[in-house]
Amino acid sequence: MNNSSLILLLKNFDKQQLKEFNSFVKSPYFNTNKALVSLSEYIRKQHPEFNEDKLEKKYVYKKIFGKTQFNDGFFRVLMSNLQNLAEEYLSLKGYQKETLLKKKLLLDQLMGFNDSKKLAEKILKEGLKEADSIKPDGPDDYLGKYHMAFYRKYLYSTSFSASKDKMPSDHLYDEQKYLTYYFLLRMLADHFYHLNQSQIINYTPRLIFVDEIITFLDKNPEYLEFPTLNMTYLRVLLLKNNNIEDLYKLKNAFYRSHKELGHKDCFNIISIIINFCHKNYFLTEDEKFLEEKLEILLFGLDNGITSFDEDDYFDNNRYNNLFSTYIEFDRIDEAEKFINEYGPKLDPEEQNFWVHYSMAELLSKRGKIDEALDHLSKIRNVKTVSYKLNLRSLQLRLYYDAGLIEQAISAADSFRHFIQKESLMNPVYNEQYRNFYLFYTKLLGLNTGKSAKAANELKESLTPIKNVIHKKWLMER
């Protein structure tokens, strides 16, 4: 029972929520089954430990029903019904927060009643006042405004007469305006999601209406005065067009308006710029992309935008991007200072990997190969694909630099199988590691009968090849 969906759900409730839920279950409007009240009360008393022994089904059954013979089917139904009530309670809590939605649903009901126009007008007046006070932050704010605008026009139309004092006001166009904002924000956010996914995995997005939206916004730029819409639009353009002019548009607009945006929006925009610059740096080897990447990373660091949720642990990918960019620029002392200052701010469950990995990378740059290998040996339980790629590629470089050729050959073969198996990886990133593997194995082949001529020929063959991870390391060897 401790791993049932009911208990897993109720474990997320705090003490006050469990108390409220218990009252909810006792309400005859929502529940008339006394057994559900007893079960709810019993579970509430197990908070916060939720001891496994005290949540064993037969034990709980005996506590509630005494000597009555255990009936597993009955108890399962009881648990299912209590879960349904918990879900209903959460829905109601969410509904209570959506004050404009409450007014909209109330107006829906009033429209079916006789002689309810005056009450409907009163509710609408309150709703319009609330809607006008809202400073929109996202699409749902515009949806609330749309509902009130819809009913303003609806009530106007039901009492319309052709007279001068009944001429339509500009407010009657608010329904169009707010619905358009909602549509644009939702559609662009969806396009952004799919475009962003295509940057990570091998995936071709379907972009319905995107060209029509771009054309519409070109003709109606006043919509882009809303910062959240403008940022979403510019992010879509950047990923769709993949050109540096769109990068500068997004970056400059972000610098101007980041204080008007939510923390999560700011974090996501920085991530998109980082990923764009990372990919294009490897595809073009133009250092301006690396410089842009470091600039936006430091902007995020200086402004406290280092995690998706405000005041959360330092984001792992953000940590790795900043550290690796310092390393790419050979700013070793700054990289070490960064590890010491921000490594402890990572999620404790992630610190083992990232601190030891980054220290190993740092020590390898200083030529302290044995110390670097010692740090790698302390890394435990790596499950994430990107972590494994980082770890294995560093391991290959360290084995080579330590002269451990047999281990390098074995690890290289394992690395080959790994990257072949990861078919979901975005082709651009997969190619980076395949190219590294290709030239790494050629480098190993030179090791036994190495000659200056063969080394120069390998270097010449590598020079024009782009999209190679750790290319600088390969060239130096």
Side-chain angles (χ1 to χ4, degrees):
M1 180 176 172
N2 199 35
N3 292 320
S4 67
S5 54
L6 169 64
I7 299 301
L8 291 174
L9 175 61
L10 294 180
K11 280 181 178 179
N12 289 289
F13 286 27
D14 60 28
K15 187 176 180 178
Q16 180 60 29
Q17 286 174 317
L18 282 170
K19 184 179 178 180
E20 285 182 358
F21 175 56
N22 203 45
S23 299
F24 180 88
V25 176
K26 289 178 180 178
S27 167
Y29 181 82
F30 296 104
N31 170 54
T32 56
N33 187 334
K34 292 181 179 180
L36 287 174
V37 175
S38 299
L39 179 58
S40 172
E41 182 62 35
Y42 178 84
I43 293 173
R44 182 175 73 87
K45 290 177 180 178
Q46 308 314 308
H47 178 272
E49 292 84 5
F50 290 98
N51 184 283
E52 188 171 350
D53 292 337
K54 292 184 177 180
L55 288 169
E56 193 275 325
K57 281 197 293 186
K58 290 183 179 179
Y59 182 88
V60 176
Y61 195 93
K62 186 175 181 180
K63 284 287 183 181
I64 296 174
F65 300 109
K67 295 181 180 180
T68 306
Q69 185 176 359
F70 176 71
N71 185 321
D72 186 65
F74 169 73
F75 194 65
R76 286 175 182 272
V77 170
L78 203 63
M79 289 174 60
S80 176
N81 289 340
L82 187 60
Q83 180 172 331
N84 289 338
L85 284 173
E87 292 168 2
E88 187 77 15
Y89 163 76
L90 287 175
S91 297
L92 184 60
K93 292 289 286 185
Y95 165 77
Q96 288 172 338
K97 294 177 183 177
E98 298 295 331
T99 52
L100 285 180
L101 177 60
K102 287 171 66 175
K103 287 183 171 61
K104 183 263 182 192
L105 295 175
L106 176 55
L107 287 166
D108 287 348
Q109 295 300 312
L110 291 174
M111 291 304 103
F113 293 170
N114 295 323
D115 302 320
S116 62
K117 185 177 179 182
K118 284 188 178 181
L119 178 58
E121 288 175 342
K122 175 180 174 293
I123 300 299
L124 176 62
K125 184 178 180 181
E126 295 170 359
L128 289 169
K129 183 177 179 180
E130 182 183 341
D132 288 342
S133 70
I134 292 174
K135 183 180 179 181
D137 184 48
D140 289 340
D141 291 328
Y142 280 110
L143 187 59
K145 286 174 172 284
Y146 160 75
H147 288 317
M148 295 303 101
F150 168 83
Y151 269 110
R152 173 160 49 194
K153 191 182 78 175
Y154 179 84
L155 290 176
Y156 168 84
S157 66
T158 58
S159 60
F160 175 78
S161 61
S163 60
K164 288 184 179 181
D165 62 329
K166 292 288 185 178
M167 289 294 289
S169 70
D170 288 342
H171 284 309
L172 295 184
Y173 293 101
D174 285 349
E175 183 184 353
Q176 295 179 24
K177 179 174 71 175
Y178 295 143
L179 188 58
T180 301
Y181 268 118
Y182 178 79
F183 170 79
L184 291 172
L185 283 163
R186 281 293 181 207
M187 287 297 289
L188 286 171
D190 185 65
H191 290 325
F192 168 71
Y193 169 81
H194 290 291
L195 284 164
N196 193 41
Q197 284 292 97
S198 72
Q199 306 297 302
I200 302 166
I201 61 175
N202 189 7
Y203 167 68
T204 302
R206 288 179 292 170
L207 304 177
I208 300 170
F209 281 121
V210 70
D211 292 326
E212 290 82 357
I213 289 172
I214 291 170
T215 300
F216 174 82
L217 290 172
D218 283 342
K219 293 179 178 178
N220 301 273
E222 66 274 10
Y223 281 91
L224 296 175
E225 292 173 9
F226 177 46
T228 301
L229 178 56
N230 189 39
M231 290 295 104
T232 308
Y233 173 63
L234 292 174
R235 280 186 286 178
V236 168
L237 286 185
L238 178 65
L239 296 185
K240 179 178 181 292
N241 299 334
N242 194 44
N243 65 54
I244 197 164
E245 289 78 16
D246 288 317
L247 168 66
Y248 293 142
K249 287 179 185 177
L250 175 59
K251 184 187 75 171
N252 293 333
F254 176 57
Y255 286 170
R256 289 193 304 268
S257 61
H258 74 276
K259 292 183 179 179
E260 301 175 57
L261 303 171
H263 182 87
K264 291 178 181 179
D265 267 341
C266 290
F267 182 85
N268 283 333
I269 291 165
I270 291 173
S271 296
I272 292 307
I273 294 174
I274 290 168
N275 294 338
F276 175 85
C277 292
H278 175 87
K279 181 181 74 171
N280 282 283
Y281 169 64
F282 282 99
L283 289 173
T284 66
E285 296 183 0
D286 188 337
E287 283 210 352
K288 70 186 176 189
F289 289 108
L290 202 60
E291 291 164 358
E292 292 288 346
K293 181 182 176 183
L294 183 58
E295 179 189 315
I296 196 68
L297 280 163
L298 292 176
F299 178 87
L301 191 65
D302 292 341
N303 286 277
I305 310 168
T306 57
S307 58
F308 181 68
D309 289 308
E310 206 165 359
D311 299 324
D312 199 357
Y313 295 113
F314 203 110
D315 181 75
N316 305 320
N317 290 322
R318 189 63 50 84
Y319 174 92
N320 183 42
N321 271 299
L322 243 167
F323 168 78
S324 62
T325 308
Y326 276 136
I327 292 293
E328 196 74 32
F329 276 120
D330 290 321
R331 292 162 65 164
I332 309 303
D333 291 341
E334 289 172 87
E336 183 173 27
K337 182 181 177 183
F338 175 76
I339 294 171
N340 292 333
E341 185 174 354
Y342 294 101
K345 296 182 180 181
L346 293 164
D347 185 330
E349 293 184 5
E350 303 285 353
Q351 284 182 26
N352 170 264
F353 177 83
W354 285 113
V355 172
H356 285 301
Y357 168 78
S358 52
M359 281 304 301
E361 189 77 72
L362 180 79
L363 289 164
S364 74
K365 293 290 287 186
R366 288 178 170 163
K368 298 179 179 181
I369 306 304
D370 289 340
E371 291 181 44
L373 285 167
D374 183 57
H375 274 283
L376 283 197
S377 71
K378 296 175 181 176
I379 294 175
R380 298 285 182 270
N381 301 322
V382 183
K383 296 179 180 179
T384 307
V385 171
S386 59
Y387 293 15
K388 290 180 180 179
L389 286 168
N390 285 328
L391 179 63
R392 290 179 183 225
S393 60
L394 176 55
Q395 188 180 54
L396 289 174
R397 288 176 283 136
L398 290 175
Y399 282 161
Y400 182 88
D401 288 341
L404 303 172
I405 303 306
E406 288 187 12
Q407 290 93 324
I409 291 171
S410 175
D413 186 58
S414 175
F415 186 73
R416 175 177 63 84
H417 287 291
F418 180 75
I419 56 178
Q420 285 177 343
K421 187 174 66 175
E422 291 302 326
S423 59
L424 281 177
M425 194 191 310
N426 180 280
V428 173
Y429 298 123
N430 189 279
E431 183 185 56
Q432 289 177 8
Y433 287 97
R434 284 191 285 107
N435 285 338
F436 170 73
Y437 166 78
L438 174 66
F439 284 96
Y440 181 82
T441 52
K442 289 181 179 180
L443 190 63
L444 287 178
L446 288 178
N447 194 71
T448 51
K450 193 170 183 178
S451 69
K453 181 180 178 183
N456 284 331
E457 287 176 353
L458 181 58
K459 191 172 184 178
E460 288 175 7
S461 67
L462 172 58
T463 299
I465 304 297
K466 293 182 171 60
N467 204 28
V468 185
I469 199 83
H470 309 305
K471 184 174 180 178
K472 190 183 295 185
W473 180 89
L474 290 166
M475 296 290 284
E476 289 171 353
R477 300 311 178 271

